[in-house]
Amino acid sequence: MSFLEKKSLISLMTGLFLLFFVSLINLSQGQAGFTIVELITDVWQPGRIQDIILEMRLPRLVIGILAGGALAASGVLFQTLTNNPLASASTLGINSGAFFAVVFAAVFFPSWLAQFSFLVAFAGAVLTTIFVLILAGKELNPVRVALTGMIITLLFSSLTAALQLLFENETGGLFLWGSGTLIQMDWSGTIFAAPFIVIAIILALLLGKSLDVLALGEDMARSLGQSTDRLKFFAWTIGITLAAVVVSVVGVIGFIGLIAPHIVRLIGITGHRQLIIHSFLWGSVILITADSIARWIQPGQEIPVGAMTALVGGPWLMFLAYKTAKQQKRGEKTLGGTKKPVSKKLVYPILAVISIIMIYVSFSYGGVAWASVDEWFSPIIAEFRIPRVLIAFIVGVMLAISGMMLQGVLRNPLADSSILGITSLGGAGAMMFLILFPSLPAAWMPVGAIIGAFLALVVILISAWRNGLQPILVALMGISLSAFGSAIIQILVVKADLVVAAALVWLSGSTYAKTWDEVQIVFILFIVLLPLAIYLTRSLDAIAFGDELATSHGLNVYRTRLVALITSVTFSAIAVSFVGTIGFIGLLAPHMARRIVGFNHLPLLITSSLLGGILLVAADFIGRTVLVPKEIPSGLVVALIGAPYLLYLLKKTK
């Protein structure tokens, strides 16, 4: 037996043993408790234990094995097709596209979803794949593919959340399922999924040798007589089928397709047939283990298994992102902007007038009727509408300043608290304080957000500082942190037993139900931080010309970067603690400002601030008036604008 054959045998035996072990644990878990010994002895006899195992727990176990294996096998295919170690159904946005299609059908075509759930999910997955391939370009650069997939995920996730909030009755059962759950009430889901998965795996194995040749490069494959276009078409179809059937039965479960193939490669398995077989096995082990851990953490209550896989997958993606980004050429990233700025004497008054008009309109119109200035003092407007509008403006200003400073100090056009994972971990920190210390007043919420946000900053600094805070590495680390933070938030939402609508509002970001006390707190914190941000603008101007030139003029570049990062993260964390995980303001406002006033950071700060306030007030106004009496969280409105803009920005960035 050769060395490679021994490795393969050890991998298979170890995987099978672990799968058997965690399967026993999984079957013994649940509200109707019994030990593994009772399970082994009593399952063969008619009675309570046999009924529970055969009707509920065994279907759950089998679908978990099939789903984990299918996602892992699809990951192998996607990584080969894109030549991208970061590729999987989750990182390419395929899962989110499939889930959006399911939610869309549940709202507008429920009969279609009932009869053709797989075809609906498959259509969404195909649509997403086409978007990613078009936007990523012909070269399929690994980093560009990963960033495109992330942005597509944000876009479809925002659309999905909007549908869930607007049509709560029609989509009420999809929240937990959308986070990934293996709950099965009978064998119907397993019976439906098994033929698709088995046939797709067999077809993938038949393509194994051809995929080995394709992995050598398309030119080499063509020179050997291979029809690469036809091969890629079949391989994409198989991979999408595997991902879509999993989404249609158990919901969105991420990172299995990322983790399992890399574990198998680390073991030393080579050749696509072996990779698919071993990845299928280890994907099943990972998913069943994650499900068992989730049920152990919260007995009797379902924690989304998709969130558990993200907790493991986030750090794993960080490791892979670090390796991938180090192999990319650094390049000089331009922040964009005009070389012929508009006069500030013209810009500032215009933006100030627009701000006043937006605030006036938001105070006066609630979606049904206009209110005169005298009516502003009525309880409904004075106690509910005016505080939320003021909070929206101040938070928009803070997010814009945070984004402007992050882009300046990192020289990264993609830098924003939402892209870098700061918003996500800040939201997790704030929610943790909310759940762990429910008696604390609202003034303590920023503390949890600041802790979470600074944790994200520390991770980014540790991982990227040695590489000079390489823009693409920072962005990839942010993707990982965002996934990790979102997983924590999902687990906390379920653990705290929040209602679906409230959870979605928090996850999306909303200015709803703000009070005058909160306005005072956020305004005081803003006033305290603003002078420091203004003071740093001159240093950021110097850094814009390069570290060497700035140092030659006596600037301590590293200290300036650190202070600026701390300041920007604090702005973002405070904003998140008051309105939830609103993103993209810090990306949109500075880019718009640069195209108006150019690169100097003081006018950029003023212009970005006003634009950020206008954007969030406008988003809040649209969200509460366009479909009155229903509300769309302002974070979703911003995301629906920001995600397409980010795709445009990424398309322009070379």
Side-chain angles (χ1 to χ4, degrees), residues 56-262:
M56 297 179 66
R57 296 191 186 176
L58 194 57
R60 178 181 186 136
L61 174 65
V62 174
I63 198 62
I65 292 172
L66 291 172
L71 291 172
S74 70
V76 173
L77 296 175
F78 294 144
Q79 287 164 23
T80 298
L81 289 167
T82 60
N83 191 28
N84 182 2
L86 304 176
S88 69
S90 53
T91 56
L92 292 178
I94 294 172
N95 281 346
S96 61
F99 183 52
F100 167 73
V102 168
V103 174
F104 184 85
V107 173
F108 299 106
F109 307 102
S111 60
W112 288 16
L113 183 63
Q115 298 179 48
F116 311 108
S117 59
F118 165 69
L119 292 179
V120 169
F122 184 81
V126 170
L127 179 66
T128 308
T129 304
I130 292 172
F131 279 169
V132 171
L133 293 178
I134 291 174
L135 293 166
K138 293 181 179 180
E139 295 181 357
L140 290 178
N141 176 274
V143 173
R144 183 176 291 273
V145 171
L147 290 173
T148 304
M150 177 205 70
I151 301 164
I152 291 290
T153 298
L154 289 173
L155 177 60
F156 278 117
S157 296
S158 299
L159 291 169
T160 301
L163 288 175
Q164 288 180 285
L165 282 170
L166 294 174
F167 302 94
E168 190 177 352
N169 293 332
E170 292 85 348
T171 63
L174 297 179
F175 177 73
L176 183 63
W177 183 74
S179 301
T181 177
L182 299 182
I183 295 176
Q184 301 292 306
M185 303 309 296
D186 53 37
W187 284 93
S188 59
T190 306
I191 293 171
F192 170 79
F196 286 101
I197 293 174
V198 171
I199 293 172
I201 293 296
I202 292 172
L203 293 175
L205 291 173
L206 292 175
L207 294 179
K209 293 294 184 182
S210 299
L211 291 170
D212 290 340
V213 177
L214 182 64
L216 299 175
E218 287 197 43
D219 292 338
M220 177 68 75
R222 289 194 187 98
S223 68
L224 295 172
Q226 188 178 89
S227 176
T228 56
D229 290 339
R230 185 170 60 184
L231 172 62
K232 289 164 71 174
F233 173 78
F234 283 124
W236 274 112
T237 302
I238 292 169
I240 293 171
T241 299
L242 289 170
V245 73
V246 171
V247 170
S248 67
V249 176
V250 299
V252 180
I253 298 175
F255 294 101
I256 299 293
L258 186 74
I259 301 171
H262 281 281

Side-chain angles (χ1 to χ4, degrees), residues 368-418:
V368 177
W370 286 87
S372 64
V373 175
D374 293 338
E375 293 177 289
W376 288 4
F377 299 97
S378 64
I380 292 178
I381 296 177
E383 298 299 326
F384 295 99
R385 191 182 302 169
I386 292 179
R388 74 179 288 173
V389 173
L390 293 177
I391 282 276
F393 187 82
I394 298 170
V395 166
V397 170
M398 295 178 78
L399 289 173
I401 294 175
S402 174
M404 183 275 298
M405 296 184 72
L406 282 172
Q407 289 169 23
V409 76
L410 299 178
R411 290 197 53 73
N412 184 350
L414 297 175
D416 169 56
S417 56
S418 57

Side-chain angles (χ1 to χ4, degrees), residues 450-498:
I450 289 172
I451 292 173
F454 272 94
L455 178 61
L457 176 62
V458 168
V459 172
I460 290 173
L461 290 177
I462 291 174
S463 59
W465 194 271
R466 283 188 177 181
N467 293 282
L469 294 172
Q470 182 183 351
I472 214 69
L473 174 57
V474 171
L476 288 174
M477 287 295 168
I479 297 174
S480 313
L481 290 171
S482 294
F484 187 76
S486 297
I488 293 175
I489 291 174
Q490 285 180 337
I491 291 172
L492 291 175
V493 165
V494 175
K495 196 170 181 64
D497 203 21
L498 298 177

